[in-house]
Amino acid sequence: VVRPVCDRSGDPRVGEETAARVARRLLEEAEADGGRVGQGTGLLGLTLVQNALSGGAWTRPWPELLAVAGSCRHEEVRLRAWGTAVE
């Protein structure tokens, strides 16, 4: 689902700014929805962030977006974000 935006190598298939905007929006929507849809939305946003970071893009805005995911209301998203941070 996220490959059209940012593949696993961290190479954004759209501009980096657009990919970051999509990730931020997904994480915001996850905060607004405390249910399963919100959790899934948060995991999609986190996957975009993880893909960008896996390509070595530890530059702004990706670490900030990882921190946003790490404070998400959904435990699954938080745990995966913190796992990414310590890898």
Side-chain angles (χ1 to χ4, degrees):
V1 171
V2 298
R3 266 192 226 162
V5 179
C6 185
D7 67 20
R8 296 189 89 202
S9 71
D11 183 29
R13 297 184 180 211
V14 298
E16 184 175 8
E17 183 178 323
T18 300
R21 225 175 319 146
V22 169
R24 184 178 305 281
R25 177 69 179 180
L26 289 167
L27 292 169
E28 288 170 355
E29 290 297 320
E31 278 302 306
D33 183 335
R36 292 175 53 103
V37 171
Q39 178 178 321
T41 303
L43 290 171
L44 282 173
L46 176 58
T47 300
L48 282 173
V49 174
Q50 289 170 323
N51 285 358
L53 293 172
S54 72
W58 282 89
T59 57
R60 202 163 180 252
W62 301 112
E64 175 191 333
L65 289 171
L66 184 59
V68 169
S71 64
C72 184
R73 73 187 295 172
H74 299 281
E75 182 178 26
E76 177 91 16
V77 177
R78 280 194 317 271
L79 292 174
R80 288 187 186 193
W82 281 102
T84 298
V86 298
E87 286 181 346

